[in-house]
Each structure stands twice: as structure tokens, then as C-alpha cells.
């Protein structure tokens, strides 16, 4: 039985008699997903599972349009940038309130940004705030954001969940349990409860009227939202078919064509979505420190087959370090990416001194060509990793796999226990991706490769601080070519976003910022 046939048969069986017991209700809106977050404090988690809930719980100074490029007002109704690119002055709305009813003012923005960037907070994404010199309130509704040097990505980064404005009183009351036992911010929905690995419950913010202008209605229309975790995708599909839930963008790819034929079900694609899967190597670890091993892996892994078998043709194989859709993508770097050629990979290893030994695994200087990969246990990583494992074994490389539940996995991915890791990530610009993963200061996480290179740092700094497009594009391109030739990553697949909604839902439209398919969750209504 083929993989495709087996999945169809298994799905059919689930639809008949194995649907989980989820009580159908007129309210709340039930959103299904396959993975939970480690916590919901915006500055403490890099997971998209945290971001997709945080966007509903909290607001940022600016928002991002559905094109994934255009910056729109949100908490800031306007802003000005100084000629030298170092000072941003934000004028805030005057009608914003936290979930507890307290008016939001400039000091709340200042507090949130300083908390985000304070070294004591140990935020893994503090660098996204840029080289901050000072942030201050000049009156109740004016914030001055001063940088040490220009930062070309600042506005885009201030639209991400990490830049959420949160309530100081609640943070100080809950301490480390902020985003675990409670939350208070200015989003369209408010925290009710979190049961790890099961569900997050939110309720409508009764004060909210300031949604971004990318929506038709600035007010939330749903009284209560439940984000429910169903780790197995076929079970999730069965729940959607049985109308025991309302929305998901975690539908198994094999089921999308079928769901489009289900009466009352709407299936929509977000074509501007960028979310890419890759395997990264810790370049200072034994075996994978050898560039021949890394290059051979890039040549041995069949990305096209993975895109077809795991994503059922809905994903796009990546043949470049970064996604071709990001700003400043470098076409020359794509030409440098090794092509799929197992025979050439085997010859490369032979020439590098890695000779076939016992059990078909290569050896060199008493070391086996073997490495351990870590990743999160989600819907696709088991099949991706097993496909890579089989491909690598054919050329004499032994890859061991350890996948973790997301509630502990992010902690494991912050260690030095592994040699390589599986990751999926969103990015809008090349500069964003390169800053996040490859600056020396980002090690050990999210620069889990431990890539520390003066030339890389210098080029990224040049692109980041540039005030003209040509300089930024040239520097970003040079970094992409350098990293491609070093084979630091094995790019795998660009994952698609498909939003599936049931017959009692109207107004839902896929967004996708940092993997958040519903973003603010506005314009959504229940028919009954």
C-alpha cells in the first residue's frame, strides 16, 4: 500500500468512527491546531504557536497588511522618521484600553519595549528591537524610539508579536508566570485560561474598537475563542468534517482537495505566506563540522520528493538558502546551491576521506559519519526526518532523530546536545532571516548553528544599518552566497497556508504573519 493510499484509508476510517469527543456548541469559536507553545509571554517564546495566540491577546505599534509587506497603523496612528534614520516618533491612539479597562498610554509602550530589550529578561528575540539607545515618552501619547544606528527592518519588526504592548501591573504580579497563568494587554481578546497541550481559552475584549484598517470591522464579533490542540492531523480533519470545530490552518495537505468539495466548507490559500522548513548544522560539532559532510547532505536529500510525498504537492521544494519571495533574495546564491545528485555526494565523501565502513556507514579518522538531529514533533517533521534519514543512509551517512513535544522542545533546542536540527520559520525580508539566525551574537539560540564569522557579522551589520536600497541588497546578497557555499543549512520546503472554515463561519480570511493564520481574528462572525 502506498503512503497516499494508506493515509486516505486511515482518514476514511477516522471519519466513520474515531472522531474525538468534542462537544459541539453554538459558541465559542473553536480553532484547531496540532501543536501548543511553551508559554505565551511574547518576549519569551519564538514559537509560531505562541504568536498566533499573542496577536489576539495583544497589539503592536504597527500592523502588517495581508500582502505581508505593507506597514499599517495600529496602536500608533502615525509616525515620523528622522533624516538619519535613527529616531522614530510615534503618535499613539487615545482610545486604547487594556483588557482590565485601564487606558493605555505612552509609558506602557516604553515599559514593554524596555522589558523586551532588558538583558535580564533573556529574550531570545531582543535583537529584533534593533540597536536601541533609548525609548521614552514625551507626553501621554508620544513615544520617541531612538537607535544607536539605523535599522532598516525596524517597522516590520515592531509589527511582530514580540513587540506586543503588555500591562506592567500584571507582569509584575505574575512574574515568570506571565503568559502561563494570566495575561493582560490591549488585543481584541482577553486571557481566560491555558491548559497545556490541550487548549487556550480567550474572551472578547469589551473595550476593543481600534482594530487595524486591514479589516472591515475594528471590533471583535466572537464572544469566546478556544484554541484546541489535536496533535494528529487526520483526527483534526475528522473533527472538522464532523463540524466539531470551526476553523483550522493545520489541515493535512492530502485532505485539502477533499475539503473543498465538502458542502458549506470554505478553503482559502494565503499566497503571500512565507514559512520555510530547513535543517541546520551545528558547524562546531564533530562530523558536521566537516564541510564535505554538510555539502554531501545537501546533494543527497531529495527536496522535490519530500515536497511531493509529505506535502502532497501543496508545498514548494526550496533550492536556495532563503525563500525567493523575501525582499533582497539573491538569485546568484540559488545558482550556488548543490543540486540533488546522490552519486556526486558519494564521490565527494570518498574524495574527502570518508570511506564506507561496517554496515555501510562511512568512517574517517576513527569517527563514523553519524549525527543526531533534534526537532519538534509536529504533523510533518516525523515524515520529513525519516525521508532525509533514508536519503542520507544511501550515501553512507547515519542520521539519528529525536523529536520533542513543543512544551519541552524549545528548551531542548536551546542546548548543545544535538548536531543538527529541524526548524520552520517565517520571514518577510532577507535581512530579517539573516539577522535572526546568523549573527554571532545570536548564538546559541536562535543561531543554533553556532555560526560565528566576522565577514557574516560585518555584512549583516552593513545591510541592517543601510539607508539606501542598493547597499542593503548588495550586502544581503553577499551573505546569502557565503552561507550557501558553506552549506550551513539544508533548505527543504516552503510550506503553504490553507485556511479551512466550517459552514457557521463567515468573514474569515487567512493572514499568516509569523505563522498566525488569523492574526487579530477580526471580521469573523458565527452564523448560529
Amino acid at each position: 500500500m502506498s503512503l497516499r493510499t494508506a493515509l486516505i484509508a486511515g482518514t476514511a476510517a477516522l471519519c466513520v468512527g474515531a472522531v474525538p469527543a468534542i462537544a459541539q456548541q453554538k459558541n465559542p469559536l473553536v480553532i484547531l491546531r496540532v501543536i501548543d507553545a511553551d508559554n505565551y509571554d511574547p518576549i519569551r517564546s519564538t514559537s509560531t504557536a505562541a504568536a498566533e495566540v499573542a496577536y489576539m491577546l495583544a497589539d503592536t505599534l504597527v500592523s502588517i497588511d495581508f500582502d505581508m509587506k505593507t506597514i499599517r497603523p495600529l496602536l500608533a496612528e502615525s509616525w515620523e522618521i528622522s533624516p538619519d534614520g535613527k529616531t522614530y516618533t510615534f503618535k499613539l491612539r487615545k482610545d486604547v484600553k487594556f483588557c482590565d479597562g485601564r487606558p493605555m498610554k505612552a509609558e506602557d509602550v516604553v515599559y514593554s519595549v524596555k522589558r523586551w530589550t532588558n538583558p535580564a529578561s533573556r529574550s531570545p528575540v531582543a535583537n529584533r528591537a534593533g540597536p536601541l539607545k533609548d525609548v521614552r515618552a514625551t507626553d501621554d501619547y508620544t513615544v520617541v524610539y531612538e537607535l544607536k544606528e539605523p535599522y532598516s527592518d525596524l517597522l516590520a519588526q515592531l509589527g511582530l508579536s514580540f513587540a506586543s504592548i503588555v500591562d506592567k501591573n500584571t507582569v509584575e504580579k505574575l512574574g515568570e508566570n506571565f503568559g502561563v497563568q494570566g495575561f493582560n494587554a490591549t488585543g481584541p481578546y482577553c486571557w481566560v485560561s491555558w491548559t497545556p497541550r490541550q487548549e487556550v481559552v480567550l474572551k472578547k475584549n469589551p473595550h476593543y474598537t481600534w482594530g487595524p484598517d486591514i479589516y472591515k470591522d475594528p471590533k471583535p464579533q466572537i464572544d469566546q475563542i478556544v484554541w484546541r490542540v489535536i496533535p494528529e492531523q487526520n483526527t483534526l480533519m475528522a473533527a472538522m468534517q464532523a463540524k466539531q470545530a470551526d476553523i483550522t490552518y493545520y489541515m493535512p495537505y492530502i485532505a485539502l482537495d477533499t475539503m473543498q468539495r465538502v458542502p458549506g466548507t470554505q478553503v482559502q490559500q494565503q499566497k503571500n505566506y512565507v514559512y520555510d522548513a530547513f535543517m541546520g548544522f551545528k558547524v562546531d560539532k564533530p562530523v558536521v563540522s566537516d564541510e564535505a559532510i554538510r555539502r554531501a547532505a545537501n546533494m543527497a536529500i531529495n527536496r522535490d520528493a519530500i515536497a511531493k510525498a509529505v506535502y502532497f504537492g501543496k508545498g514548494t521544494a526550496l533550492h536556495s538558502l532563503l525563500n525567493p519571495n523575501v525582499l533582497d533574495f539573491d538569485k546568484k546564491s540559488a545558482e550556488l546551491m548543490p543540486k540533488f545528485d546522490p552519486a556526486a555526494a558519494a564521490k565527494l565523501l570518498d574524495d574527502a576521506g570518508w570511506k564506507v565502513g561496517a554496515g555501510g556507514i562511512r568512517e574517517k579518522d576513527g569517527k563514523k559519519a553519524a549525527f543526531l538531529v533534534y526537532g519538534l514533533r509536529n504533523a510533518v517533521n516525523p515524515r520529513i526526518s525519516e525521508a532525509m534519514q533514508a536519503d542520507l543512509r544511501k550515501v553512507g551517512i547515519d542520521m539519528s532523530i529525536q523529536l520533542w513535544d513543543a512544551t519541552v522542545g524549545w528548551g531542548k533546542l536551546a542546548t548543545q546536545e544535538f548536531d543538527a536540527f529541524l526548524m520552520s520559520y517565517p520571514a518577510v525580508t532577507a535581512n530579517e532571516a539573516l539577522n535572526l539566525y546568523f549573527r554571532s551574537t545570536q548564538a546559541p539560540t536562535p543561531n543554533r548553528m553556532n555560526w560565528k564569522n566576522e565577514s557574516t557579522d560585518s555584512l549583516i551589520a552593513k545591510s541592517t544599518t543601510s539607508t539606501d536600497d542598493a547597499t542593503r541588497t548588495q550586502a544581503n546578497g553577499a551573505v546569502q552566497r557565503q552561507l550557501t557555499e558553506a552549506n550551513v543549512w539544508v533548505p527543504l520546503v516552503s510550506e503553504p497556508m490553507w485556511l479551512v472554515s466550517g459552514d457557521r463561519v463567515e468573514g474569515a480570511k487567512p493572514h499568516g504573519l509569523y505563522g498566525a493564520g488569523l492574526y487579530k481574528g477580526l471580521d469573523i462572525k458565527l452564523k448560529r
Side-chain angles (χ1 to χ4, degrees):
M1 183 181 291
S2 70
L3 172 62
R4 184 181 181 90
T5 305
L7 282 170
I8 292 172
T11 301
L14 282 165
C15 291
V16 172
V19 178
I22 304 174
Q24 187 171 358
Q25 304 174 42
K26 293 182 179 179
N27 209 357
L29 176 79
V30 178
I31 306 168
L32 298 185
R33 55 184 182 160
V34 297
I35 196 169
D36 203 350
D38 46 346
N39 70 81
Y40 290 93
D41 183 343
I43 69 167
R44 290 170 53 206
S45 180
T46 61
S47 76
T48 55
E52 63 190 4
V53 174
Y55 283 123
M56 291 188 175
L57 288 169
D59 287 329
T60 49
L61 287 173
V62 299
S63 65
I64 312 294
D65 210 330
F66 287 91
D67 63 3
M68 296 291 110
K69 296 177 181 179
T70 306
I71 308 296
R72 300 286 192 188
L74 186 46
L75 295 179
E77 58 186 12
S78 65
W79 54 88
E80 294 180 356
I81 307 173
S82 63
D84 64 2
K86 295 182 182 181
T87 303
Y88 291 65
T89 302
F90 296 95
K91 293 294 184 180
L92 305 182
R93 296 181 63 113
K94 298 179 180 179
D95 58 347
V96 178
K97 293 183 179 180
F98 288 94
C99 276
D100 64 2
R102 183 174 70 83
M104 187 210 75
K105 296 186 178 180
E107 285 297 343
D108 296 301
V109 176
V110 172
Y111 169 77
S112 298
V113 173
K114 287 187 174 180
R115 175 176 180 261
W116 177 22
T117 56
N118 187 341
S121 296
R122 303 186 305 278
S123 173
V125 288
N127 73 301
R128 288 178 177 265
L132 184 65
K133 180 179 180 180
D134 186 33
V135 57
R136 58 189 180 274
T138 56
D139 60 44
D140 282 349
Y141 299 102
T142 305
V143 173
V144 176
Y145 198 109
E146 188 177 0
L147 300 167
K148 298 174 184 175
E149 56 191 11
Y151 180 36
S152 58
D153 259 3
L154 180 63
L155 287 176
Q157 297 304 309
L158 291 181
L160 297 181
S161 62
F162 316 117
S164 295
I165 306 308
V166 297
D167 172 49
K168 176 181 178 180
N169 298 332
T170 306
V171 172
E172 293 185 347
K173 177 182 177 181
L174 294 177
E176 290 293 312
N177 287 320
F178 181 75
V180 176
Q181 295 180 353
F183 198 99
N184 187 26
T186 70
Y189 294 92
C190 304
W191 177 283
V192 175
S193 65
W194 175 35
T195 306
R197 301 183 183 90
Q198 294 183 39
E199 64 181 28
V200 178
V201 181
L202 313 179
K203 64 180 179 181
K204 181 168 64 175
N205 182 347
H207 315 290
Y208 198 92
T209 59
W210 51 88
D213 60 8
I214 64 173
Y215 292 103
K216 296 177 182 177
D217 193 330
K219 303 183 295 296
Q221 303 298 310
I222 307 296
D223 291 330
Q224 190 176 73
I225 292 178
V226 176
W227 286 87
R228 186 160 292 152
V229 178
I230 298 184
E232 209 287 311
Q233 276 193 316
N234 286 330
T235 308
L236 179 150
M237 174 186 173
M240 285 295 295
Q241 287 185 317
K243 300 181 180 180
Q244 295 177 332
D246 299 297
I247 297 181
T248 187
Y249 42 93
Y250 291 93
M251 184 66 64
Y253 300 110
I254 192 175
L256 289 170
D257 292 339
T258 299
M259 294 304 294
Q260 286 179 320
R261 296 191 293 269
V262 175
T265 298
Q266 186 175 21
V267 180
Q268 305 174 71
Q269 184 181 10
Q270 166 53 298
K271 294 183 179 180
N272 300 315
Y273 185 62
V274 174
Y275 204 93
D276 298 339
F278 69 93
M279 179 171 69
F281 295 105
K282 280 192 181 297
V283 296
D284 57 351
K285 298 277 279 192
V287 180
V288 295
S289 61
D290 190 328
E291 191 174 329
I293 290 286
R294 304 198 302 268
R295 185 172 180 83
N298 252 316
M299 300 167 72
I301 292 172
N302 192 338
R303 301 165 177 80
D304 291 298
I306 291 173
K308 184 177 181 180
V310 178
Y311 295 86
F312 295 92
K314 301 298 184 184
T316 304
L318 276 175
H319 297 283
S320 53
L321 181 82
L322 301 183
N323 192 299
N325 290 327
V326 300
L327 179 69
D328 292 343
F329 170 73
D330 182 66
K331 292 182 179 179
K332 292 181 180 179
S333 68
E335 296 170 2
L336 297 172
M337 179 62 64
K339 304 297 187 290
F340 174 62
D341 192 339
K347 184 179 185 305
L348 172 65
L349 292 169
D350 285 335
D351 294 345
W354 289 96
K355 304 303 181 183
V356 177
I361 304 304
R362 294 176 181 271
E363 298 179 7
K364 179 181 179 180
D365 300 332
K367 293 183 294 185
K368 289 185 176 295
F371 65 91
L372 171 64
V373 63
Y374 271 13
L376 299 181
R377 182 170 294 282
N378 59 22
V380 295
N381 278 351
R383 285 182 284 161
I384 289 177
S385 57
E386 289 165 7
M388 291 196 301
Q389 184 182 56
D391 286 343
L392 292 172
R393 190 64 185 256
K394 292 174 184 176
V395 299
I397 299 175
D398 183 27
M399 185 182 88
S400 300
I401 304 165
Q402 178 65 68
L403 302 180
W404 305 89
D405 179 87
T407 52
V408 297
W410 290 104
K412 301 298 289 186
L413 285 164
T415 70
Q416 295 294 320
E417 300 169 356
F418 53 93
D419 307 303
F421 64 100
L422 272 176
M423 186 69 64
S424 297
Y425 78 106
V428 175
T429 70
N431 187 257
E432 177 184 355
L434 299 173
N435 256 301
L436 178 65
Y437 284 114
F438 292 104
R439 291 188 89 148
S440 298
T441 53
Q442 293 295 88
T445 180
N447 180 355
R448 301 172 183 87
M449 293 76 61
N450 294 331
W451 177 261
K452 299 178 181 179
N453 182 283
E454 290 184 6
S455 175
T456 301
D457 288 343
S458 177
L459 286 166
I460 293 176
K462 184 178 181 180
S463 68
T464 302
T465 60
S466 65
T467 55
D468 66 279
D469 293 345
T471 300
R472 187 196 67 241
T473 300
Q474 185 277 329
N476 280 327
V479 179
Q480 291 171 68
R481 293 190 291 276
Q482 178 193 39
L483 296 171
T484 298
E485 291 182 316
N487 291 278
V488 184
W489 278 5
V490 177
L492 295 168
V493 178
S494 179
E495 301 178 353
M497 172 168 283
W498 293 83
L499 182 70
V500 180
S501 52
D503 60 1
R504 73 178 191 137
V505 176
E506 62 180 20
K509 181 180 178 182
H511 193 279
L513 182 62
Y514 203 81
L518 296 173
Y519 192 34
K520 292 296 171 186
L522 299 177
D523 285 347
I524 302 174
K525 299 178 182 179
L526 294 177
K527 299 177 186 177
R528 60 181 188 275

